[in-house]
């Protein structure tokens, strides 16, 4: 009975520690945490990328989006890098050319791969940067979701420190 009590106390202390360690992030700069206004500069040549950021910020309501860079506490600069990539359908195909047999992965397909970068700047320069690869959800949406989680986590940690 006593062993069971000791084990339950041990588990009760270890489970929260494992959860926190699994989801912990490096602290964001205080400039991001204190900012109130944001200007979005979309350098991707894709209007939808900027729309995703604007929509995420509007829904989130942490920052007010301004139309004048000089009136913003932070500037969210979006850039995109792309490259051609190839993949196969996974079927092995063998071709014989003279005495040489060449085995390939089957049909080859070309597609555009890449990433989107969110660089957060203030008047002095770069404050924070993150890059996400293209994904089904969308790299820009992934960036905004990640930033949102990081800020929420840090705000929660700060509240817990102040309540002690």
């Amino acid at each position: 009975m006593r062993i069971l009590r000791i084990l339950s106390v041990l588990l009760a202390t270890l489970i929260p520690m494992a959860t926190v360690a699994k989801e912990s992030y490096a602290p964001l700069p205080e400039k991001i945490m204190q900012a109130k206004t944001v200007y979005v500069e979309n350098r991707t040549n894709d209007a939808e990328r900027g729309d995703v950021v604007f929509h995420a910020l509007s829904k989130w309501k942490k920052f007010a989006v301004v139309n004048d860079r000089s009136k913003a506490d932070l500037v969210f600069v979006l850039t995109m890098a792309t490259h051609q990539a190839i993949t196969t359908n996974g079927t092995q195909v063998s071709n014989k050319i003279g005495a040489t047999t060449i085995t390939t992965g089957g049909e080859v397909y070309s597609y555009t791969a890449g990433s989107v970068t969110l660089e957060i700047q203030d008047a002095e320069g770069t404050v924070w940067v993150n890059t996400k690869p293209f994904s089904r959800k969308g790299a820009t949406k992934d960036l905004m979701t990640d930033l949102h989680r990081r800020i929420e986590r840090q705000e929660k940690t700060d509240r817990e420190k102040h309540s002690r």
Side-chain angles (χ1 to χ4, degrees), residues 61-127:
K61 299 179 182 175
K62 164 110 174 118
F63 304 108
V65 180
V66 296
N67 292 329
D68 184 346
R69 183 185 179 112
S70 66
K71 293 180 180 173
D73 297 324
L74 298 173
V75 178
F76 283 21
V77 180
L78 287 171
T79 55
M80 181 169 56
T82 61
H83 62 276
Q84 287 303 115
I86 59 169
T87 188
T88 67
N89 65 1
T91 305
Q92 292 290 321
V93 176
S94 295
N95 294 310
K96 201 163 196 135
I97 301 173
T100 306
T101 301
I102 300 172
T103 303
T104 63
E107 294 181 51
V108 177
Y109 302 95
S110 175
Y111 65 97
T112 301
S115 60
V116 177
T117 297
L118 171 63
E119 179 179 348
I120 299 177
Q121 302 174 347
D122 70 357
E124 297 171 14
T126 300
V127 175

Side-chain angles (χ1 to χ4, degrees), residues 3-104:
I3 292 175
L4 186 59
R5 205 176 302 149
I6 292 170
L7 283 174
S8 64
V9 170
L10 185 60
L11 283 175
T13 57
L14 290 177
I15 290 173
M17 288 172 54
T19 304
V20 170
K22 182 176 137 186
E23 296 183 26
S24 64
Y25 297 109
L28 291 169
E30 200 58 33
K31 291 177 180 183
I32 293 174
M33 300 305 294
Q34 298 302 319
K36 302 288 184 226
T37 57
V38 170
Y39 176 80
V40 178
E41 186 174 318
N42 183 2
R43 296 183 190 166
T44 67
N45 295 324
D46 182 352
E48 288 182 38
R49 307 273 177 195
D51 294 345
V52 169
V53 173
F54 179 78
H55 177 71
L57 291 171
S58 299
K59 188 176 170 184
W60 186 5
K61 299 179 182 175
K62 164 110 174 118
F63 304 108
V65 180
V66 296
N67 292 329
D68 184 346
R69 183 185 179 112
S70 66
K71 293 180 180 173
D73 297 324
L74 298 173
V75 178
F76 283 21
V77 180
L78 287 171
T79 55
M80 181 169 56
T82 61
H83 62 276
Q84 287 303 115
I86 59 169
T87 188
T88 67
N89 65 1
T91 305
Q92 292 290 321
V93 176
S94 295
N95 294 310
K96 201 163 196 135
I97 301 173
T100 306
T101 301
I102 300 172
T103 303
T104 63

